């Protein structure tokens, strides 16, 4: 039982699964957003904190990607590291 408990430096099994589910849901939501090019946006999640990186064509697209990510259940916060190309 202790092998699955989260520690300060390592997430437990349940947290890892939750983060991967969040990442998958965000990627799907971005893919389904017609104004965004999902192939150019990278999504990473750690303990509910989402990091978006990659390239978008405008500040409006970056803001939209952040909105989409925030709308996914389980997201605690979103870090926007996307660059405008």
């Amino acid at each position: 039982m202790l092998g699955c408990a989260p520690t300060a430096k390592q997430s437990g099994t349940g947290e890892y699964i939750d983060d991967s589910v969040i990442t998958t849901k965000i990627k799907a939501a971005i893919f389904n957003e017609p104004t965004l090019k999902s192939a150019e946006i990278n999504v990473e999640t750690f303990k509910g904190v989402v990091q978006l990186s990659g390239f978008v064509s405008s500040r409006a697209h970056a803001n939209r990607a952040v909105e989409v990510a925030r709308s996914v259940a389980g997201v605690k916060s979103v870090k926007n590291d996307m660059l405008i190309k």
Side-chain angles (χ1 to χ4, degrees):
M1 287 283 187
L2 293 176
C4 292
T7 63
K9 294 184 181 179
Q10 189 175 21
S11 62
T13 305
E15 286 181 74
Y16 176 77
I17 292 172
D18 291 343
D19 286 342
S20 65
V21 169
I22 290 169
T23 297
T24 301
K25 286 183 179 180
I26 292 170
K27 286 181 179 182
I30 289 172
F31 178 79
N32 289 324
E33 176 60 43
T35 60
L36 301 174
K37 293 182 180 175
S38 61
E40 296 183 0
I41 299 174
N42 301 311
V43 181
E44 293 182 31
T45 308
F46 182 69
K47 294 188 176 183
V49 176
V50 176
Q51 179 182 9
L52 299 177
S53 60
F55 298 94
V56 290
S57 57
S58 70
R59 175 66 49 205
H61 288 159
N63 292 339
R64 182 64 187 136
V66 170
E67 288 175 22
V68 168
R70 284 186 178 143
S71 71
V72 172
V75 173
K76 294 178 182 174
S77 66
V78 178
K79 294 180 183 178
N80 179 359
D81 290 331
M82 292 177 286
L83 301 173
I84 310 300
K85 62 175 180 179

